[in-house]
Amino acid sequence: MRAILLCSTLAVVLAAPAGSQTCKKAPPPFLPSLFPQKVGGTTLEFSSVPGGGCMGMYRPADLAKRESSPWVVMSIEVEPSETLGVSAEELRQRYVTNATKFIEVDDWPVAVTVRSIGDEFVAIRGSLKITVMVRNGDHGQASEALATPFLHLMLAKVPCG
């Protein structure tokens, strides 16, 4: 009987569509522990952000390349707003309603904004806001390709469900 109950429960969990993910606003983990040490050949340069968040930079060691090559500044902060959606579908609906451009990373919507200093990718998941800024980005596929591995690694570490 226990085996049947366990199998039934597992089948229900596995059958749930990825788009229906819901993240509770649980207490966040220790923020510096979320940053990957190395991504795509760049190493973490770490610093704190005033106000309780954290910021890490992944940039070329060569100063000349920093001016012309794309590189990443990533920040994590506790998202205090209770009005932001807690499920992937609620976020998608909010982005569609507000005509916000977004991409999907691991079935999670990530808002995309072009800024004067680069391309900004923002994921709100659980109690955290994760921002990946691609400096010297192309405002298109190359920036997205650079940001996606960072987002993938971060979303995997953020409590969800």
Side-chain angles (χ1 to χ4, degrees):
M1 183 66 168
R2 288 183 190 174
I4 292 171
L5 182 59
L6 179 61
C7 289
S8 298
T9 304
L10 185 57
V12 169
V13 169
L14 293 176
S20 67
Q21 294 181 36
T22 300
C23 289
K24 297 176 183 170
K25 289 200 176 216
F30 181 60
L31 297 182
S33 70
L34 297 175
F35 288 88
Q37 291 302 307
K38 193 171 191 172
V39 178
T42 57
T43 305
L44 172 66
E45 291 181 47
F46 192 81
S47 66
S48 294
V49 175
C54 290
M55 180 181 74
M57 293 185 287
Y58 299 82
R59 58 188 180 174
D62 184 293
L63 292 174
K65 285 186 178 180
R66 289 182 190 177
E67 296 298 319
S68 60
S69 299
W71 53 280
V72 169
V73 176
M74 188 164 44
S75 64
I76 307 172
E77 57 190 307
V78 176
E79 178 52 63
S81 175
E82 292 295 326
T83 61
L84 292 170
V86 294
S87 74
E89 188 56 37
E90 288 171 323
L91 287 171
R92 279 186 203 94
Q93 289 303 320
R94 176 160 295 157
Y95 295 152
V96 168
T97 300
N98 295 327
T100 301
K101 180 181 176 190
F102 69 95
I103 62 170
E104 297 277 335
V105 177
D106 300 334
D107 295 320
W108 197 262
V110 176
V112 180
T113 307
V114 174
R115 305 248 185 241
S116 61
I117 60 171
D119 302 318
E120 183 178 68
F121 298 81
V122 177
I124 297 169
R125 185 166 165 117
S127 59
L128 300 178
K129 177 181 175 184
I130 302 164
T131 304
V132 175
M133 173 64 73
V134 177
R135 302 292 306 261
N136 303 323
D138 72 339
H139 312 309
Q141 290 181 342
S143 290
E144 183 178 330
L146 183 57
T148 298
F150 287 92
L151 290 161
H152 171 73
L153 290 169
M154 295 301 284
L155 289 172
K157 292 181 178 184
V158 174
C160 185

